[in-house]
Amino acid sequence: MKNENKTKEIKELIAQKVKSLKGETAYAKIAAKCEIHSGKISNIANNKIDCQLSSLIELAKGLRVHPRELFNIDFDFETYYHELDSTNSSEKNNDL
């Protein structure tokens, strides 16, 4: 399927966003402001792990940003969803 790797792409964009928001701030300094260890923050920023929503909320707290900022990425969700709907529709028609 054409869109299989979009989740990986989105995760990478979120990791890049975390790095951008982090800037030059040390992971330990961010960790001191929230309930996540610096190693986990590094793993999130380097796209090495999937994390729970609660971890993203804590990370936003540590970065002192609204959680939506972590998802404010340059990705065309509207086109992606249209492609998914078109693919699903054509698959259903092929099953008939």
Side-chain angles (χ1 to χ4, degrees), residues 15 18 22 27-28 30-31 34-59:
V18 170
K22 172 194 168 296
Y27 292 120
I30 296 167
C34 63
E35 302 296 319
I36 303 178
H37 294 286
S38 60
K40 186 170 186 177
I41 296 170
S42 173
N43 286 338
I44 294 168
N46 290 297
N47 197 21
K48 292 184 178 180
I49 61 170
D50 280 336
C51 60
Q52 295 178 322
L53 180 57
S54 58
S55 295
L56 291 174
I57 293 167
E58 283 297 317
L59 177 57

Side-chain angles (χ1 to χ4, degrees), residues 8-23:
K8 290 180 183 179
E9 180 181 343
I10 293 165
K11 282 181 54 192
E12 180 58 38
L13 289 169
I14 291 170
Q16 290 172 11
K17 176 58 93 168
V18 170
K19 282 185 178 181
S20 172
L21 292 168
K22 172 194 168 296

